[in-house]
């Protein structure tokens, strides 16, 4: 039975290494995930049938390691049951954690999308100085950047501005022309 435990340990280590090598193709192992039996508890979703490659490899590794250690203290049946339970619980925890983390998307925004948005000055931009601008993104989230005026003039707080360009992760902005300002002149 020790050979079975050692083979489980080797499989649990070898398959993730092989996948890491072949992961040159983006998302190579993503098509191996099966969410069959899920239970939602609050904000967390538990996958009680973890059938992803990562969770199966972890279960193999844990079963082999704990089975090898437990077989020296307990009978073969008891060691296999305890090792199997530990392996199953660790696979459920891994699969549930990975599926929970995949729910969250990356909110970073491409600069070209920001150039199309309007911003609102949060902190006054002093003459030849820096302030901050808040931009409401199309995905209903907000992002703030340090900003300076295009011509070096002062821009008061709560002014709507257009983004001209980026300069080292800082916005170069100009006040949005309003109809009132056009007809005052």
């Amino acid at each position: 039975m020790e050979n079975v435990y050692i083979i489980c340990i080797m499989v649990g280590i070898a398959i993730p290494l092989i996948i890491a090598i072949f992961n040159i193709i983006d998302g190579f192992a993503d098509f191996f995930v099966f969410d069959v039996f899920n239970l939602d508890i609050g904000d967390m979703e538990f996958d009680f049938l973890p059938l992803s490659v990562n969770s199966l490899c972890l279960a193999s590794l844990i079963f082999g390691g704990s089975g090898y250690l437990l077989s020296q203290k307990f009978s073969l049946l008891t060691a296999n049951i305890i090792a199997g339970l530990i392996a199953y619980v660790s696979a459920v925890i891994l699969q549930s954690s990975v599926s929970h983390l995949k729910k969250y998307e990356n909110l970073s925004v491409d600069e070209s999308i920001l150039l199309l948005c309007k911003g609102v000055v949060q902190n006054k931009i002093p003459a030849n100085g820096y302030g901050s601008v808040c931009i409401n993104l199309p995905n209903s989230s907000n992002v703030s950047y340090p900003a300076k005026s295009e011509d070096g003039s002062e821009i008061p707080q709560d002014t709507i501005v257009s983004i001209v360009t980026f300069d080292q992760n800082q916005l170069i902005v100009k006040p949005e022309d309003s109809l009132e300002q056009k007809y005052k002149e």
Side-chain angles (χ1 to χ4, degrees):
M1 193 65 187
E2 287 182 9
N3 290 338
V4 172
Y5 296 141
I6 292 172
I7 289 172
C8 287
I9 292 171
M10 289 174 29
V11 166
I13 293 172
I15 290 177
L17 287 177
I18 291 169
I19 289 175
I21 291 169
F22 286 117
N23 209 14
I24 296 169
I25 302 169
D26 188 35
F28 174 75
D30 285 347
F31 63 89
F32 290 119
V33 177
F34 301 103
D35 291 333
V36 180
F37 182 61
N38 299 338
L39 178 65
D40 290 336
I41 299 175
D43 191 28
M44 191 70 176
E45 180 178 308
F46 290 98
D47 295 328
F48 286 103
L49 191 59
L51 293 176
S52 71
V53 173
N54 292 332
S55 61
L56 291 175
C57 288
L58 177 68
S60 174
L61 180 66
I62 297 291
F63 177 77
S66 59
Y68 185 77
L69 293 173
L70 291 171
S71 67
Q72 297 170 1
K73 298 256 182 188
F74 299 104
S75 69
L76 186 63
L77 180 63
T78 306
N80 284 340
I81 290 173
I82 294 172
L85 287 174
I86 294 170
Y88 173 73
V89 168
S90 64
V92 167
I93 290 171
L94 176 70
Q95 182 70 22
S96 300
S97 300
V98 168
S99 65
H100 180 72
L101 290 173
K102 283 186 177 182
K103 286 182 183 178
Y104 295 99
E105 62 183 80
N106 185 0
L107 295 177
S108 64
V109 180
D110 189 8
E111 290 178 3
S112 60
I113 293 174
L114 286 178
L115 292 174
L116 300 173
C117 298
K118 304 290 181 203
V120 177
V121 176
Q122 282 182 322
N123 297 327
K124 176 180 97 170
I125 301 174
N128 297 318
Y130 289 93
S132 66
V133 171
C134 179
I135 302 167
N136 189 7
L137 300 174
N139 64 0
S140 299
S141 62
N142 294 325
V143 64
S144 261
Y145 281 96
K148 66 179 181 178
S149 174
E150 178 185 34
D151 58 0
S153 63
E154 179 179 307
I155 302 176
Q157 186 175 359
D158 296 329
T159 303
I160 297 175
V161 292
S162 297
I163 301 163
V164 177
T165 187
F166 280 87
D167 183 27
Q168 300 173 355
N169 275 343
Q170 299 168 352
L171 300 176
I172 310 297
V173 297
K174 67 178 181 179
E176 183 70 17
D177 293 329
S178 66
L179 290 174
E180 290 177 19
Q181 289 176 347
K182 286 183 182 180
Y183 288 114
K184 281 184 182 178
E185 298 173 352

